[in-house]
Amino acid sequence: MPEPENSQAILDVLIVGAGFGGVATAIKLRERGIENFRVFEKASGVGGTWWHNSYPGAACDIASHLYCYSFEPNPNWSRKYSPQAEIQQYIEHCVEKYGIRQHIQLDTAVDSLHFKDELQFWQACLSSGETVQARHVVFCNGALHLPSYPDIPGREGFKGPAMHSAEWDHSVDFGGKRVAVIGSAASAIQLIPELAKVAARVDVYQRTPNYIAPRKDRAFSEKEKARFARWPLWHKLYRWSIFARGQVLQFAIIRNSGTSRLRDILQRHIISHIRASVKDSKTREQMIPDYPMGCKRMLIADNYYDAINRDNVNLITEGIAAIHADSIQTEDGDTHRADILVYATGFDLENYLLATQITGRNNLELNKLWADQPSAYKGAYIPGFPNLHLMSGPNTGVGTSSVVYMIEAQLLLIMQALEAAGSEQLLEVSEAANQAYNNTIGEALKNTVWAGDCNSWYKREDGEIATLYPFDVSTYRRDHKRLQKQDFTISPRLRSAAE
Ligand SMILES: Cc1cc2nc3c(=O)[nH]c(=O)nc-3n(C[C@H](O)[C@H](O)[C@H](O)COP(=O)(O)OP(=O)(O)OC[C@H]3O[C@@H](n4cnc5c(N)ncnc54)[C@H](O)[C@@H]3O)c2cc1C
């Protein structure tokens, strides 16, 4: 059995991505004394989502004290929902504090991952032209890292600056310009109020209205921050209260595909909020959703309806027929002039795991295996792909709690799997365990509001939901706490005669 050419260079663990997921994985490896690992990040900085999404108004929408690592609480969050720069700074702080920096190689995409049957290692081809071998791969590429653009005729012909919210061009001056924002969901409702302050005009192209609840954001006083720092137990309790609210209120809304009294009450409450907030009667009606709350992602904002009420902001609900050099033509034949185009059109959730070409045992190609539907055991393990650990694999998404919480839960499983296999064994989930897990997920999804009659980015074109986890996040954590070794085969890696 031949060893790779430079066996010194074989990594114990190769990590893809330096967002919350990749950084947490690196921290946990170092905690276990594992130093032979590298993190490859395609961007020029760490931070993942928070490095990429620097549009004006970008901030988290899960309260900051829960949207951070449990092992690195931050008493100094400036606001209940901190802005992008502060979250980015927090991740940078973790990278420094936990000694991760020297393990990270920036500006380096992992283009492909190939399990070499003859060597029994993973081989990664990097955008730098290098190839790297590793015993394990932890794939932390993030579910929201591929910007999605709408398929509108003429898109390429627009003459002015055009940008996706996740690829903000900070050199563009919006002052006094006519701006077209395509999309009206999570990123759009954060950036529109900021653009409206400086632009001559903002046209908001809305396809579907959203349930937007008040955010109730506020700054923390110095006294409150000092209290969080001085009383860790108080700080923990505060974090827990945010968590509990997500469990009790938000999860209860999505849990049931049929009628739900709580959902009805909250839905009525938000619709009243929209009616009370939007001044123009036609616009108001256009902003009221006609599907059950929770079926699409629920949003929060304090300043969106105020922005919509401004004279220089115009809501357009006609579909877009074409994009021309300096305008947008809607399906009713109207032409709307635009100097700058902003795509707040979200992310490609169908292909985020397939952007990297991944080939397992016997040249099994992941994109072929997943042609019908992506699935994995506990969102992390795929039969035929030994020692490949997914951080945000299929059915790991939640709309009701912190993704950082989910990442930490997933890491409980991944760290045990890494330990169980060590450097000399291959760990592979069984077909039966994978099937059983996904049957449970599939059945449970039918009982959620997502299965209802609405289009959402959660759903594939065929209506299947390969993104979301149907139970609450405590269940996710409980389920990921212990590695069920009986669900895996753990076999010795074949060794070369030289070893
Ligand atoms: C605008 C916005 C706001 C959000 N707000 C919240 C919130 O309030 N609360 C919440 O819970 N979640 C929120 N999310 C979801 C957010 O993505 C997660 O919370 C979290 O940041 C995911 O961390 P991650 O490390 O898994 O992925 P990411 O942060 O996406 O990091 C993945 C990294 O992998 C890199 N990468 C991908 N492919 C490759 C490759 N082939 N080679 C090398 N590098 C690669 C990417 O460049 C990226 O830096 C938000 C997302 C967006 C876009």
Side-chain angles (χ1 to χ4, degrees):
M1 184 73 41
E3 275 283 292
E5 274 166 27
N6 178 3
S7 58
Q8 290 302 316
I10 302 166
L11 297 169
D12 283 336
V13 184
L14 182 157
I15 300 171
V16 180
F20 267 118
V23 170
T25 307
I27 292 171
K28 295 293 162 190
L29 288 178
R30 289 210 67 216
E31 260 177 29
R32 283 160 179 75
I34 299 171
E35 295 288 344
N36 180 24
F37 70 90
R38 280 166 88 190
V39 185
F40 295 102
E41 167 55 60
K42 67 179 177 179
S44 309
V46 301
T49 289
W50 302 100
W51 192 90
H52 291 283
N53 291 267
S54 61
Y55 56 81
C60 55
D61 50 22
I62 293 290
S64 291
H65 285 275
L66 183 62
Y67 191 60
C68 56
Y69 298 130
S70 61
F71 56 83
E72 186 60 28
N74 175 16
N76 295 316
W77 291 117
S78 67
R79 309 189 63 81
K80 198 169 158 197
Y81 298 94
S82 298
Q84 171 266 340
E86 222 176 300
I87 305 170
Q88 172 69 19
Q89 211 177 20
Y90 170 83
I91 301 175
E92 303 250 5
H93 155 81
C94 293
V95 165
E96 292 308 331
K97 176 171 172 182
Y98 291 91
I100 308 304
R101 185 75 68 185
Q102 69 271 22
H103 292 273
I104 301 175
Q105 186 168 324
L106 298 172
D107 295 308
T108 311
V110 175
D111 289 336
S112 69
L113 286 165
H114 183 49
F115 184 76
K116 304 289 273 185
D117 287 307
E118 68 285 14
L119 302 170
Q120 307 225 302
F121 291 114
W122 281 94
Q123 179 168 288
C125 293
L126 309 179
S127 56
S128 59
E130 280 174 275
T131 55
V132 181
Q133 279 92 22
R135 296 180 169 89
H136 293 268
V137 173
V138 185
F139 200 64
C140 308
N141 69 334
L144 307 182
H145 81 102
L146 281 185
S148 162
Y149 288 88
D151 191 12
I152 300 172
R155 199 164 72 72
E156 300 304 326
F158 187 74
K159 288 269 166 47
M163 66 197 81
H164 191 281
S165 55
E167 294 168 336
W168 203 256
D169 182 347
H170 289 271
S171 70
V172 174
D173 178 10
F174 287 79
K177 300 283 176 17
R178 288 166 301 193
V179 186
V181 179
I182 301 182
S184 60
S187 298
I189 65 168
Q190 293 187 340
L191 60 87
I192 287 165
E194 299 306 314
L195 296 182
K197 288 179 195 165
V198 294
R201 182 176 185 81
V202 180
D203 286 337
V204 179
Y205 292 83
Q206 171 191 286
R207 195 166 55 178
T208 322
N210 288 293
Y211 286 94
I212 308 174
R215 187 182 185 84
K216 299 187 179 158
D217 189 21
R218 67 174 182 85
F220 287 113
S221 67
E222 290 309 314
K223 219 166 149 184
E224 282 176 299
K225 290 188 222 169
R227 205 181 305 138
F228 287 136
R230 181 136 187 241
W231 305 106
L233 198 61
W234 165 247
H235 194 180
K236 262 193 186 159
L237 206 65
Y238 182 77
R239 178 180 158 99
W240 180 83
S241 73
I242 305 168
F243 177 81
R245 209 169 328 128
Q247 290 284 88
V248 174
L249 275 183
Q250 288 170 294
F251 183 69
I253 293 168
I254 58 127
R255 188 169 45 200
N256 202 317
S257 59
T259 51
S260 150
R261 212 170 123 67
L262 177 68
R263 189 190 308 134
D264 287 348
I265 292 169
L266 291 172
Q267 190 170 308
R268 274 202 304 273
H269 180 71
I270 295 182
I271 290 177
S272 307
H273 171 62
I274 301 172
R275 289 197 194 284
S277 307
V278 181
K279 285 188 190 146
D280 176 69
S281 58
K282 184 176 167 213
T283 309
R284 192 186 306 143
E285 291 314 308
Q286 288 170 324
M287 297 194 82
I288 295 179
D290 63 356
Y291 55 87
M293 186 164 90
C295 188
K296 287 163 75 75
R297 187 167 161 207
M298 292 173 281
L299 306 177
I300 51 171
D302 288 334
N303 53 1
Y304 183 58
Y305 294 127
D306 289 343
I308 289 290
N309 287 335
R310 291 175 69 119
D311 290 341
N312 68 335
V313 177
N314 182 30
L315 184 76
I316 298 173
T317 55
E318 274 295 322
I320 299 176
I323 295 175
H324 302 300
D326 61 356
S327 65
I328 290 188
Q329 190 189 328
T330 42
E331 282 166 355
D332 55 5
D334 281 358
T335 296
H336 309 264
R337 301 288 295 276
D339 304 312
I340 304 173
L341 233 173
V342 171
Y343 293 98
T345 41
F347 299 87
D348 184 348
L349 268 178
E350 288 218 1
N351 294 304
Y352 75 96
L353 282 162
L354 299 174
T356 305
Q357 196 197 335
I358 305 180
T359 317
R361 267 187 205 286
N362 304 319
N363 287 321
L364 179 60
E365 292 174 37
L366 192 57
N367 56 7
K368 287 198 180 143
L369 184 72
W370 280 358
D372 282 344
Q373 185 172 341
S375 66
Y377 169 86
K378 303 199 178 182
Y381 296 100
I382 317 161
F385 294 77
N387 289 9
L388 174 68
H389 315 257
L390 305 180
M391 177 61 75
S392 307
N395 299 107
T396 55
V398 281
T400 55
S401 192
S402 166
V403 171
V404 181
Y405 178 92
M406 299 293 276
I407 284 171
E408 283 192 53
Q410 187 74 312
L411 264 180
L412 293 174
L413 188 72
I414 290 177
M415 286 298 143
Q416 290 173 71
L418 281 167
E419 270 167 10
S423 54
E424 297 304 332
Q425 298 180 95
L426 296 177
L427 168 136
E428 187 175 338
V429 70
S430 72
E431 281 287 358
N434 182 44
Q435 196 59 53
Y437 179 80
N438 282 292
N439 288 346
T440 309
I441 293 286
E443 278 307 308
L445 276 168
K446 290 181 192 161
N447 255 329
T448 62
V449 67
W450 304 314
D453 188 18
C454 75
N455 288 326
S456 83
W457 67 323
Y458 296 144
K459 275 188 196 156
R460 291 157 55 97
E461 274 179 12
D462 58 10
E464 293 293 336
I465 301 169
T467 44
L468 291 167
Y469 181 71
F471 305 108
D472 66 7
V473 292
S474 299
T475 307
Y476 188 85
R477 190 177 169 93
R478 233 183 0 258
D479 203 30
H480 286 67
K481 208 169 170 181
R482 297 236 179 291
L483 181 78
Q484 246 85 48
K485 283 198 182 155
Q486 70 276 15
D487 289 346
F488 293 85
T489 48
I490 301 176
S491 52
R493 186 171 67 81
L494 300 177
R495 315 185 96 205
S496 70
E499 277 185 293

